Amino acid sequence: MLTVRHIFQMEIMKGSSLSTSDSGLDNPVEWISVIEVPVENFVRKNEMVLSTAVGCGHDPILFHRFVEALIQAKASALALATQRYITDIPPKTLILAEQNRMPIITVPWSTRFADIVQQVIRELDRHQDQMNSFSRKTQEELLQLILQGADLNKLAHVIQRKLKLPVLFVDQKGQIKGSSSNSQLLATFWAKHLDGWDFPISRDKKWSRYEFGKKTCIEIPILSARKIQGSLLLLLTNKQETPFSQHDQIYLDHVTTAAALCFLQENIALETESRLRNDFVWSLAKGEFSSIETIQKKAEPLGYNTSLPYVCILGQVEPKTNKDDDLRDSPTREIMDEIYHAGRSLHRNVLSTRQINQIILFLEVPVDRVIDTVQSFLDIVDGRIYERYPDWSVTWGIGEKQAGIYSFRAGYLDACSALDIGRRQKGPGHRNFYMDTGLYRALQQLAGHPDMQEITWSTMHRLLDYSKQRGIDLVETFTSYLRNQCNVSQTARELNLHRQSLLYRLRKIESLTGRSLFNPDDLFLLQLSIKLWTSSKNDST
């Protein structure tokens, strides 16, 4: 990087003198220009200014304001041709320049600004050529390293040798994927940083700084197709504002590109493994394996232990708005990550897959605490879904009756039944255990019997026809009557009816159905007919 010091030492600057201290001589210079009053927005950061101060005349106040404007513009330095308009720089102005680390160099009046500009631009071009050459060489070296099969650990060691700093690579979840040999302290800091953070890595695609005692952690996002793949972490031994040279920054830019290639390679391998895992779990659910030995043989390379007791849980993901178009934006994939984290927090193995918007998982459970374990697990998952995806709900079906060892197919069928019946009876967003569906499964069996169909129809069609004609819901009246244990006064209060009006409705139910509400058998048949009709109505929807 070209600095004020380099320019001050050029042959063209012979005869020039430094009027301020040398504290700002290492300021970078990215351009040079000739500027007179006013400065306004004509000067950019890290620009060296040449001036005769002709606009200031012999007025020290105007010159002081001129220097103030250059400082505000963050100019690198001021080279001032003296002996014509400004002969002596006011002490007040020199103090201001030194306080802001902006050198003031006095140049002989005989020195041409054009010669200075030409020499500096030539040096800037030469420096830029060097940067371009360094950039190409670095890019080629790192690319060759990746093509030779280097992983993130190898890349971290290469960076450590170059920058002499501890190095870590972490993925999107903040998990360490590569490290240098001296990164133990950095790993300890990162573990503390992870604690309590849902999204531990930087998400704004900019470099981030974290203070760690007397040290500083720099986090550099690793991007691929504008998507964050992970981060590069470096531990500095001081708290410098700009700890990296221009060479270092170019090097780190190429390092993150190389790391992105490593992440992409790893992601391809992970996606292949994920596909194999999904296919395996789906085959377990469908009962496609012919023996336990086959299951074990397939599970071992995938890291699954299938000899433990599992319970099957199904989840139906759907928008609360009930818009079919929203299914394209379903967060099913993200919910699968939440399931993984919930299993890890409970120290339970989870075998999972997804089919469109349905989640199929087998959760490791102790056989004496199946329901408690399932409830704790789903509490964690539902809580995170509610927090992160408030517009979505998950309806769960649990096959707890078949929880055990190698009962995957039976558990899946029970979970399917629980999900299907529970969703039709309660609607979306509930947990449905198989044991709670006993009545509805019995009703489904009865509903198919011809005699039961005739009894149900003969009872219900008269009640429904009368209700439609008169605008009176006799089915709800009877249901409320039963819910209040046949207590007329309580039923009338619940329905907000006069007692005599309720008695009239009850007598009408008796006359329409030919059943007596005082006969236990008739009362049972009426109740059964209504439940069968309600169940068949839910089935049709």
Side-chain angles (χ1 to χ4, degrees):
M1 177 180 294
L2 188 64
T3 66
V4 177
R5 188 186 301 277
H6 293 140
I7 296 174
F8 184 58
Q9 293 173 349
M10 288 180 177
E11 183 65 26
I12 192 65
M13 299 296 288
K14 188 175 181 181
S16 301
S17 62
L18 183 65
S19 299
T20 57
S21 66
D22 61 356
S23 61
L25 286 182
D26 292 324
N27 290 347
V29 176
E30 297 177 358
W31 194 246
I32 187 168
S33 62
V34 179
I35 296 291
E36 302 294 350
V37 175
V39 174
E40 295 184 351
N41 63 343
F42 297 112
V43 176
R44 61 186 176 184
K45 182 180 179 181
N46 296 334
E47 183 172 331
M48 184 170 181
V49 173
L50 304 177
S51 180
T52 63
V54 62
C56 300
H58 299 282
D59 189 338
I61 296 177
L62 286 179
F63 180 71
H64 187 84
R65 291 175 182 171
F66 177 55
V67 172
E68 278 185 330
L70 293 177
I71 291 171
Q72 290 176 0
K74 297 184 178 180
S76 299
L78 169 63
L80 181 67
T82 57
Q83 299 173 5
R84 175 67 62 90
Y85 300 105
I86 297 293
T87 55
D88 296 311
I89 301 174
K92 178 182 177 181
T93 304
L94 290 175
I95 292 173
L96 175 67
E98 288 186 0
Q99 288 175 342
N100 290 276
R101 298 172 59 86
M102 190 190 78
I104 296 180
I105 302 171
T106 56
V107 180
W109 187 261
S110 58
T111 303
R112 295 176 181 173
F113 281 178
D115 293 338
I116 297 175
V117 170
Q118 182 183 38
Q119 290 292 323
V120 171
I121 290 178
R122 185 178 297 166
E123 187 64 21
L124 285 170
D125 288 341
R126 187 183 68 81
H127 178 74
Q128 187 60 47
D129 289 341
Q130 290 178 343
M131 290 294 101
N132 291 338
S133 176
F134 173 74
S135 178
R136 286 193 299 270
K137 182 179 179 182
T138 301
Q139 185 180 40
E140 291 171 0
E141 289 177 352
L142 291 173
L143 181 59
Q144 188 64 30
L145 191 68
I146 299 302
L147 293 176
Q148 291 174 355
D151 58 9
L152 292 173
N153 282 315
K154 176 65 175 178
L155 193 56
H157 287 297
V158 171
I159 300 170
Q160 177 196 339
R161 288 199 300 270
K162 173 69 177 178
L163 301 180
K164 305 296 189 285
L165 295 173
V167 180
L168 285 181
F169 285 104
V170 298
D171 62 14
Q172 291 176 311
K173 299 174 183 177
Q175 303 302 308
I176 295 175
K177 308 299 290 185
S179 60
S180 61
S181 58
N182 62 342
S183 61
Q184 292 82 4
L185 185 61
L186 179 56
T188 300
F189 159 73
W190 188 248
K192 293 179 179 178
H193 175 72
L194 283 181
D195 188 27
W197 285 75
D198 289 331
F199 299 102
I201 70 169
S202 174
R203 305 188 76 189
D204 58 5
K205 301 179 182 179
K206 297 179 181 178
W207 290 26
S208 301
R209 295 173 66 99
Y210 307 107
E211 302 305 325
F212 178 42
K214 295 183 179 180
K215 301 180 184 297
T216 300
C217 174
I218 300 293
E219 180 184 3
I220 306 172
I222 298 169
L223 304 176
S224 175
R226 298 183 180 180
K227 182 180 179 182
I228 295 178
Q229 301 291 331
S231 291
L232 164 64
L233 305 176
L234 303 169
L235 187 63
L236 309 182
T237 56
N238 53 52
K239 297 185 179 181
Q240 289 177 280
E241 190 66 27
T242 55
F244 299 113
S245 66
Q246 189 175 5
H247 277 80
D248 291 339
Q249 292 182 31
I250 292 173
Y251 180 76
L252 289 171
D253 284 342
H254 288 303
V255 162
T256 55
T257 301
L261 292 175
C262 288
F263 274 107
L264 287 175
Q265 291 176 345
E266 183 175 341
N267 288 341
I268 292 173
L270 289 175
E271 286 179 6
T272 302
E273 182 180 353
S274 177
R275 188 162 53 250
L276 292 173
R277 286 171 174 261
N278 287 337
D279 292 344
F280 173 75
V281 175
W282 183 225
S283 296
L284 282 179
K286 293 189 292 183
E288 292 182 346
F289 298 118
S290 58
S291 65
I292 292 177
E293 289 74 16
T294 303
I295 294 175
Q296 292 173 335
K297 184 178 179 181
K298 295 284 187 180
E300 186 175 352
L302 299 175
Y304 284 148
N305 184 355
T306 55
S307 62
L308 300 171
Y310 289 91
V311 62
C312 183
I313 304 175
L314 299 188
Q316 183 71 37
V317 182
E318 49 197 327
K320 293 180 179 178
T321 55
N322 292 323
K323 293 181 180 179
D324 293 338
D325 292 343
D326 289 342
L327 293 176
R328 293 173 298 181
D329 302 320
S330 168
T332 305
R333 182 187 295 271
E334 291 78 6
I335 292 174
M336 294 291 287
D337 290 336
E338 303 300 344
I339 287 171
Y340 166 78
H341 287 299
R344 190 173 64 173
S345 66
L346 293 178
H347 307 290
R348 297 291 175 187
N349 290 313
V350 178
L351 320 182
S352 60
T353 186
R354 61 188 179 95
Q355 299 294 321
I356 308 178
N357 288 312
Q358 189 174 86
I359 296 168
I360 304 165
L361 65 98
F362 295 95
L363 173 67
E364 176 201 350
V365 291
V367 291
D368 58 339
R369 290 190 296 109
V370 174
I371 294 178
D372 288 344
T373 304
V374 170
Q375 294 283 27
S376 298
F377 175 80
L378 293 182
D379 283 345
I380 297 174
V381 176
D382 283 338
R384 294 175 74 92
I385 292 173
Y386 179 80
E387 177 184 346
R388 298 185 181 181
Y389 314 104
D391 296 329
W392 293 83
S393 66
V394 181
T395 306
W396 302 102
I398 302 100
E400 80 289 347
K401 181 182 176 183
Q402 299 295 337
I405 300 175
Y406 295 109
S407 57
F408 300 105
R409 175 61 177 172
Y412 172 71
L413 293 176
D414 279 6
C416 284
S417 180
L419 177 61
D420 178 55
I421 293 173
R423 191 182 181 283
R424 284 189 280 106
Q425 297 299 326
K426 302 178 185 178
H430 292 87
R431 300 176 192 176
N432 305 285
F433 287 85
Y434 183 78
M435 65 180 179
D436 296 330
T437 64
L439 173 62
Y440 300 104
R441 286 184 281 113
L443 291 175
Q444 284 181 337
Q445 295 296 321
L446 285 174
H449 195 280
D451 290 342
M452 202 64 240
Q453 289 177 346
E454 180 183 351
I455 293 172
T456 302
W457 172 247
S458 64
T459 300
M460 294 303 299
H461 86 276
R462 295 187 182 93
L463 294 177
L464 297 174
D465 288 346
Y466 182 86
S467 297
K468 184 177 181 180
Q469 293 171 5
R470 301 297 181 89
I472 298 175
D473 193 343
L474 294 181
V475 174
E476 175 58 25
T477 300
F478 179 75
T479 302
S480 177
Y481 181 64
L482 288 179
R483 189 164 52 243
N484 287 283
Q485 299 179 347
C486 302
N487 186 302
V488 174
S489 298
Q490 290 181 5
T491 305
R493 282 194 295 271
E494 182 178 295
L495 297 175
N496 198 22
L497 290 174
H498 191 277
R499 178 182 175 86
Q500 291 302 318
S501 298
L502 175 60
L503 290 173
Y504 171 79
R505 289 190 183 189
L506 295 177
R507 287 195 295 270
K508 181 55 68 175
I509 292 173
E510 289 181 321
S511 65
L512 290 172
T513 61
R515 305 287 181 183
S516 171
L517 299 184
F518 297 100
N519 186 319
D521 293 338
D522 287 347
L523 199 64
F524 171 75
L525 280 175
L526 276 171
Q527 184 180 15
L528 181 59
S529 297
I530 289 177
K531 283 190 175 293
L532 287 172
W533 172 78
T534 303
S535 178
S536 62
K537 180 182 178 182
N538 288 334
D539 288 344
S540 64
T541 58

